Amino acid sequence: MRFTAYSADGSVRVLSERLQCHRRGYERFEIPLVEDGEEFALEYLGLSITFAYLSRPCGKGLQFKDMKDRNPQWISYQLGKGIRVLNEQATATTDLIARQSAVHAEPPKHWMNDPNGLCFFQGFYHLFFQFNPYSSTWDNMHWGHMASRDLVHWIYQPVVFWPQQELNEDSRLTGGAFSGSAITLNSQGNLASGEDAQILRVFLTRHFASKEVPSQIVEYQTTACSLDGGLSFSDEQTLVWRDRSEIGVDFRDPKVNWVADTHSADGICGHWSMILASNMPWSASKSDSFTMNCDGGPAQGSLDEVGSYAPPAGRSAALVQYVSNDLLHWEWKGTLLQDPRGEDVRTYECPDFFELDGMWIAAASLMNYRDGCGRFQPVMWYAGSFDGERLTPQYSGLCDFGGAYYASQSFSYQGRRIVIGWLCDFYGLRTQLPYQANGVMSLPRELGWSNGKLIQHPVAEVYRELLGDTLFEVERHGDTNTSVLEDDRGITIPQNAYYCACDLLSDNDFTIQLAVLRETRNDGEQRQYESVNKTLSLVMRSGRLLLETQGAPTDSVHFESPSTDIRHLEIFFDQQVVEVFVNHGESVGSLVFPSDDSIGNVKFLHGCNCAIAKVSLRQLRTLSTDI
């Protein structure tokens, strides 16, 4: 493989030449482009380029020349801000990115899962994420990176962390740069925000596992710093190994926060806390005693992307804590929280821990667990008092009553606690298309606490930046039934991305069809075809609100909101994902549901005339792919 520069005067320079790849076949390389007036060509044979990008302006861009292709296509772009993602199949007149959604954050290509390192630093919100740049399925993990000034319009940035070299050299191993968090510091290494922050420090897990024996896992925690807005990082330093026999082999996803001493009025006195997801020895007699809802059991046949093994006997999911005064030397503090489900849950993943409106809140994903409603791997929150070592929960609940929200992470900036989760397709609803990314993030949600409930609603920027033209609006005046909502023809939605707000009069039953997926099936030898529709609806039934599908693998799953006396709904439907906010964020439900049409259709069906007092239906402004 050769990278060559062609100058205007006819001279030719070989910038880079690679003759072999690692045993597994993955190779990463960077090529500096420094001369003006040159054109660059990459010639390669016997390999494929899965992910390529320009990290700064470089004339006309790159020409990919496949020796098997007699008509290689020229790609001509200027970088602007962020990176420019390149595809061999793209031209100057076609989109480089086949988006899954219109307004949600998603990767430039291939696979994405957990959000990592959320923070605000040097004028931008930063969203790192678990990323596989080689294909649209999970594999050894990298950290991708996006940045935004408004939490809505995201700019792709270079990949910042790569898998360990051993994983490329031994195909029996899997793992990589797993999930973690970020903090921002001043030049003295103290917690800082805004213009005072000069250092971005991230914490992550390095993961090794055997493909042949999934329970053989090695995980340890590392840290690295960036001074240039997260574009590059220092070499990693190893901080915490699994140094205690009682800690489970699952030992990952560090969430680091500053915890002020209780007697410190200004928050200056305190220590650093690192919360890790694991499992610990458990017995029913000593478990935390607080009520859990919709209990279930271990998932039968895990859908988890990294492989699975049975929950270990005599252990249950736990969050454990280490503490430090300098961010480099960490001491064991103890178990912060242990889930009372016992052996039903293999481990927690992606922990979060913070103080909100006087209440301490922990959140974590339940790995390899299916609850009594059929929901796979839900995210739980627990709220209560914290004595510096252990959280004593008084309240708990689901972060999301749908089936897509996972691995959520929060951060605080200017008085707001903002959370983002990965909207995943655990149930296999979507079909992966060529050159389309796989994975989207939730809309950013602002958190609050009220009357024993964790409140989540879209950040103000979502309303300001994304709500577009009004497509339909109706309001009932008085008690007379003058509404004309019910119509089998539905309301046409340009670009199949919309926002719908509904005020409800009562708990009367109703159905709103949010989306439809049309499929055509061939019955075989007779070559006859039939059209089969899969539908997604929001249903009120006997005072309970549910997301329901028909004709899909999720038909038997009970996606029920825990809210009662429901009087306000907000629906964000975005081509392949839906997020429903109930009673101004009292509960939230999300689901992946691919709708194949570029033009959407919403139908207010039976019961809507009586139950709904006001509807406002607006188009969502589509984000440009030219980032």
Side-chain angles (χ1 to χ4, degrees):
M1 181 171 59
R2 175 178 296 178
F3 196 91
T4 308
Y6 301 90
S7 297
D9 61 6
S11 62
V12 178
R13 295 187 303 124
V14 176
L15 298 181
S16 178
E17 191 164 12
R18 298 294 181 98
L19 299 178
Q20 67 183 64
C21 292
H22 298 298
R23 182 186 305 171
R24 189 170 180 176
Y26 294 152
E27 180 78 7
R28 174 181 65 87
F29 59 93
E30 299 176 1
I31 302 168
L33 308 178
V34 297
E35 301 292 335
D36 293 331
E38 288 186 318
E39 295 178 352
F40 304 91
L42 180 63
E43 299 172 322
Y44 58 95
L45 181 66
L47 54 83
S48 62
I49 294 178
T50 62
F51 186 56
Y53 56 83
L54 310 179
S55 61
R56 62 186 64 186
C58 57
K60 290 185 177 180
L62 298 182
Q63 179 180 9
F64 287 96
K65 186 178 181 182
D66 189 335
M67 299 306 180
K68 297 177 292 185
D69 184 359
R70 296 182 179 181
N71 298 297
Q73 300 205 23
W74 183 261
I75 306 169
S76 179
Y77 287 100
Q78 288 288 338
L79 171 69
K81 296 180 179 179
I83 64 173
R84 167 57 63 192
V85 181
L86 305 175
N87 287 333
E88 296 173 71
Q89 286 71 16
T91 70
T93 58
T94 62
D95 286 338
L96 291 172
I97 303 166
R99 289 186 61 89
Q100 308 159 88
S101 64
V103 304
H104 284 71
E106 59 183 70
K109 287 184 69 174
H110 301 317
W111 173 271
M112 175 181 77
N113 53 287
D114 310 352
N116 297 154
L118 300 183
C119 63
F120 184 89
F121 183 63
Q122 294 183 349
F124 286 88
Y125 295 97
H126 293 268
L127 167 58
F128 300 90
F129 54 92
Q130 294 284 278
F131 183 45
N132 174 23
Y134 301 114
S135 76
S136 59
T137 58
W138 191 93
D139 206 327
N140 291 339
M141 283 289 96
H142 304 60
W143 271 36
H145 181 200
M146 310 179 206
S148 173
R149 292 193 183 276
D150 60 11
L151 290 166
V152 173
H153 299 88
W154 294 95
I155 304 168
Y156 298 126
Q157 304 294 341
V159 175
V160 292
F161 294 111
W162 292 264
Q164 303 89 294
Q165 187 63 39
E166 297 93 327
L167 303 182
N168 281 337
E169 297 171 351
D170 190 341
S171 61
R172 297 170 300 176
L173 298 176
T174 186
F178 270 27
S179 290
S181 58
I183 56 175
T184 58
L185 308 168
N186 61 22
S187 58
Q188 287 75 44
N190 299 319
L191 186 66
S193 62
E195 296 181 357
D196 295 330
Q198 300 176 4
I199 302 170
L200 172 60
R201 181 179 285 275
V202 300
F203 303 84
L204 64 147
T205 296
R206 285 290 173 177
H207 176 100
F208 290 92
S210 167
K211 292 181 179 179
E212 298 171 353
V213 186
S215 60
Q216 292 183 359
I217 297 173
V218 174
E219 292 182 322
Y220 57 93
Q221 323 311 320
T222 70
T223 187
C225 291
S226 174
L227 304 178
D228 59 4
L231 296 178
S232 63
F233 282 84
S234 64
D235 293 339
E236 292 174 59
Q237 295 176 267
T238 299
L239 299 178
V240 180
W241 290 87
R242 179 176 167 266
D243 55 357
R244 303 178 69 86
S245 60
E246 65 267 34
I247 300 175
V249 294
D250 295 293
F251 180 59
R252 57 177 171 270
D253 309 336
K255 180 60 186 288
V256 174
N257 283 314
W258 175 258
V259 177
D261 291 342
T262 55
H263 61 271
S264 176
D266 55 9
I268 294 178
C269 297
H271 62 270
W272 296 102
S273 168
M274 178 189 291
I275 306 300
L276 293 161
S278 188
N279 55 66
M280 296 286 283
W282 175 88
S283 66
S285 61
K286 68 173 186 177
S287 67
D288 289 308
S289 56
F290 56 98
T291 303
M292 307 303 299
N293 57 351
C294 217
D295 283 338
Q300 302 299 313
S302 173
L303 301 175
D304 181 47
E305 67 274 8
V306 297
S308 65
Y309 58 91
R315 308 181 70 87
S316 74
L319 300 182
V320 300
Q321 182 181 196
Y322 286 76
V323 295
S324 173
N325 291 320
D326 61 5
L327 293 170
L328 297 178
H329 303 88
W330 294 85
E331 296 181 356
W332 167 257
K333 186 68 173 178
T335 301
L336 174 76
L337 172 74
Q338 193 154 19
D339 191 86
R341 294 173 183 82
E343 299 175 5
D344 286 346
V345 183
R346 164 181 157 180
T347 186
Y348 283 126
E349 283 198 304
C350 303
D352 205 352
F353 186 55
F354 52 89
E355 188 177 15
L356 183 66
D357 299 333
M359 185 69 66
W360 283 94
I361 297 174
S365 304
L366 304 183
M367 188 177 180
N368 285 62
Y369 175 80
R370 195 181 302 278
D371 74 9
C373 299
R375 290 172 289 214
F376 183 67
Q377 298 194 158
V379 182
M380 293 293 302
W381 61 263
Y382 313 83
S385 59
F386 175 54
D387 62 5
E389 179 175 344
R390 194 170 185 88
L391 176 70
T392 302
Q394 299 166 268
Y395 310 92
S396 67
L398 292 175
C399 289
D400 191 293
F401 65 83
Y405 190 76
Y406 194 74
S408 58
Q409 185 177 117
S410 74
F411 69 103
S412 180
Y413 180 64
Q414 291 187 335
R416 295 193 297 177
R417 172 65 58 172
I418 298 169
V419 65
I420 295 176
W422 169 41
L423 299 184
C424 46
D425 184 21
F426 282 139
Y427 304 93
L429 286 154
R430 67 185 296 274
T431 300
Q432 183 64 36
L433 300 177
Y435 302 101
Q436 187 179 64
N438 185 356
V440 300
M441 295 300 180
S442 70
L443 294 174
R445 306 173 182 177
E446 184 176 348
L447 299 181
W449 180 259
S450 179
N451 298 321
K453 297 175 182 177
L454 182 65
I455 306 300
Q456 307 174 76
H457 57 80
V459 296
E461 292 90 334
V462 166
Y463 298 97
R464 185 183 71 224
E465 299 293 332
L466 295 182
L467 298 195
D469 295 340
T470 298
L471 303 173
F472 176 79
E473 198 164 48
V474 65
E475 182 174 4
R476 174 183 297 185
H477 298 283
D479 296 330
T480 58
N481 186 1
T482 58
S483 177
V484 291
L485 283 175
E486 295 178 25
D487 187 344
D488 289 339
R489 295 170 299 178
I491 301 166
T492 299
I493 309 294
Q495 300 173 334
N496 203 7
Y498 64 86
Y499 164 82
C500 181
C502 299
D503 290 337
L504 307 184
L505 285 169
S506 65
D507 292 335
N508 288 351
D509 292 359
F510 67 83
T511 298
I512 305 173
Q513 182 176 292
L514 305 178
V516 63
L517 174 63
R518 298 176 179 85
E519 291 184 339
T520 301
R521 296 178 182 173
N522 183 351
D523 71 353
E525 296 180 359
Q526 298 182 14
R527 297 186 179 181
Q528 295 179 354
Y529 296 83
E530 61 174 336
S531 179
V532 179
N533 290 347
K534 297 178 180 178
T535 60
L536 171 67
S537 299
L538 189 63
V539 177
M540 181 76 82
R541 185 178 297 119
S542 301
R544 311 301 299 188
L545 186 75
L546 302 100
L547 278 167
E548 286 191 351
T549 62
Q550 290 187 353
T554 46
D555 289 2
S556 61
V557 185
H558 200 65
F559 301 117
E560 179 182 321
S561 166
S563 297
T564 58
D565 194 25
I566 298 171
R567 292 297 178 265
H568 186 72
L569 300 173
E570 289 182 284
I571 304 161
F572 291 83
F573 184 83
D574 185 12
Q575 298 181 354
Q576 296 200 29
V577 294
V578 65
E579 295 180 76
V580 179
F581 295 82
V582 181
N583 282 352
H584 304 284
E586 183 181 86
S587 63
V588 187
S590 60
L591 194 64
V592 171
F593 186 87
S595 181
D596 55 353
D597 292 333
S598 59
I599 303 298
N601 188 270
V602 176
K603 293 182 179 180
F604 295 90
L605 300 176
H606 51 272
C608 289
N609 281 349
C610 296
I612 300 177
K614 181 179 179 180
V615 170
S616 177
L617 185 63
R618 299 177 65 174
Q619 186 174 350
L620 292 178
R621 298 190 184 108
T622 303
L623 302 181
S624 170
T625 59
D626 185 20
I627 299 177

